[in-house]
Amino acid sequence: DSLSIHQLSAQGELDQLIACLQKGEQLLNRPDERGFTPLMWAAAFGEIAAVRYLLEKGADPHVLAKERESALSLASNGGFKDIVTMLLDKGVDINVYDWNGGTPLLYAVRGNHVKCAEALLARGADITMEADSGYTPMDLAVALGYKKVQQVIEAHILKLLQR
Amino acid sequence: TQLSLYTSPSLPNITLGLPAS
């Protein structure tokens, strides 16, 4: 039995991933049945070496899955700041939104991932974008009682006002 | 050897469980 390229990416099985891609380049951006590419699986499960390797091989970081999920949102949701930074360095849309209006910043806040929220805010994530339910990142931080994330957003707003 | 499979990634509903804003 062999694992699919999506499973190899998610499990960070780099040697097998390299071998698998050597057999078939076209697998690099192969979406699964919900539209998730190997890069998205690696980003969702925090496999930084796999993310780095797939990007080096030319994996497309801009691909959206069927419900507009993105590698950046998956990494932000998981709190994987280094992967968030890698994807932002590839110029992905920092304000991409999906099926419930979720943006990378909203997922970072929802997961109480302070470092991810800081990284996204530092790179200009839009703090006014609301989820379909009308919650902004600040609303969400307050509603969930995530004080540190709330402070990070407040500090960012102050910085914007001072400019 | 038993292969362990990860379940497909997914993104949660942002405001599940919160009152309507």
Side-chain angles (χ1 to χ4, degrees), chain A residues 14-87:
Chain A
L14 206 52
D15 294 340
Q16 293 183 58
L17 183 59
I18 292 169
C20 182
L21 280 176
Q22 273 160 357
K23 271 189 261 160
E25 281 295 325
Q26 79 289 358
L27 291 175
L28 187 60
N29 288 312
R30 162 83 44 94
D32 65 9
E33 62 287 352
R34 296 171 54 227
F36 286 72
T37 62
L39 178 65
M40 291 165 112
W41 279 70
F45 287 95
E47 288 300 334
I48 197 170
V51 166
R52 185 177 296 113
Y53 175 72
L54 289 165
L55 287 173
E56 275 165 18
K57 291 291 288 182
D60 182 354
H62 307 284
V63 170
L64 297 184
K66 287 183 179 167
E67 298 197 316
R68 293 184 54 82
E69 300 96 331
S70 66
L72 184 60
S73 284
L74 287 157
S76 301
N77 184 63
F80 304 120
K81 179 200 172 276
D82 293 341
I83 294 175
V84 165
T85 304
M86 256 191 234
L87 291 167

Side-chain angles (χ1 to χ4, degrees), chain A residues 1 3 7 10-11 34 36 41 44-45 69 77 98-100 107 110 133-135 140, chain B:
Chain A
D1 272 285
L3 292 174
Q7 288 290 335
Q11 303 196 23
R34 296 171 54 227
F36 286 72
W41 279 70
F45 287 95
E69 300 96 331
N77 184 63
D98 63 17
W99 60 279
N100 75 141
Y107 284 113
R110 183 177 185 291
S133 54
Y135 276 77
L140 203 57
Chain B
T1 55
Q2 181 66 34
L3 288 178
S4 67
L5 292 179
Y6 287 14
T7 53
S8 180
S10 63
L11 286 169
N13 178 311
I14 286 284
T15 48
L16 197 62
L18 293 175
S21 157

Side-chain angles (χ1 to χ4, degrees), chain A residues 99-150:
Chain A
W99 60 279
N100 75 141
T103 62
L105 180 57
L106 279 165
Y107 284 113
V109 170
R110 183 177 185 291
N112 202 14
H113 301 308
V114 176
K115 290 258 178 281
C116 281
E118 279 172 334
L120 289 161
L121 288 166
R123 299 284 278 264
D126 183 344
I127 58 173
T128 66
M129 284 185 76
E130 300 173 356
D132 284 355
S133 54
Y135 276 77
T136 64
M138 175 64 92
D139 297 333
L140 203 57
V142 170
L144 292 167
Y146 294 164
K147 289 273 181 266
K148 190 75 180 81
V149 168
Q150 181 183 336

